[in-house]
Amino acid sequence: LGLGGKKNPTPGQSHAWIVVANPDRSFFWLQSYIEHYTLSEWMELSDKKNQRRLSLSDVYAKLDQIEQLGNMTSSSWTPEANRVYKELFNVDWTVARRKHVEEYMAHVGADPAKLVGWTAKQ
């Protein structure tokens, strides 16, 4: 089982994600997130959280969160959507988005403060 986005994400938003079924009826939820963490780092985090081996109900719960996240973000990004996203992908997208915008603006030589609709508080 794998998951992908409908639109082409920017490289900083690209996930590699897979669920592996094991012979003992447990599952591995494996992922990496370009510019955020590698598969190896994800596996270490999963071990620390005691989430390396998941039950089928654990996998369904995560899939429900993905569906919930899709429903929450259909019109705008909210603090609740960010919480679910961070729980699923271990990335605070509010912080990551600001970093990506600042890096892009620096790359094109623009002043982030002049970006319409963007403030340092976001």
Side-chain angles (χ1 to χ4, degrees):
L1 174 64
L3 175 72
K6 291 182 180 176
K7 295 180 181 177
N8 292 331
T10 63
Q13 301 171 344
S14 297
H15 294 262
W17 180 92
I18 192 167
V19 175
V20 178
N22 298 304
D24 66 357
R25 296 186 179 182
S26 68
F27 297 84
F28 290 153
W29 181 281
L30 304 174
Q31 63 189 40
S32 63
Y33 195 171
I34 295 173
E35 295 184 15
H36 295 283
Y37 52 83
T38 65
L39 174 59
S40 177
E41 291 167 333
W42 174 260
M43 292 172 76
E44 288 175 19
L45 178 65
S46 296
D47 286 342
K48 288 178 186 175
K49 292 181 170 184
N50 197 29
Q51 294 180 350
R52 172 72 70 96
R53 290 187 179 274
L54 301 175
S55 68
L56 182 58
S57 63
D58 293 333
V59 171
Y60 279 135
K62 287 187 173 285
L63 293 172
D64 287 344
Q65 282 183 300
I66 289 172
E67 182 178 19
Q68 177 187 15
L69 183 62
N71 292 336
M72 282 192 273
T73 59
S74 61
S75 59
S76 66
W77 193 257
T78 65
E80 178 64 9
N82 196 64
R83 183 195 64 75
V84 172
Y85 191 87
K86 187 174 180 182
E87 190 173 313
L88 281 166
F89 303 113
N90 199 45
V91 171
D92 181 331
W93 187 241
T94 303
V95 173
R97 179 183 69 172
R98 180 174 39 245
K99 178 183 175 238
H100 288 294
V101 168
E102 289 170 356
E103 287 173 355
Y104 174 77
M105 297 302 281
H107 175 72
V108 298
D111 180 358
K114 294 180 181 177
L115 183 61
V116 175
W118 183 263
T119 66
K121 294 179 184 178
Q122 288 182 311

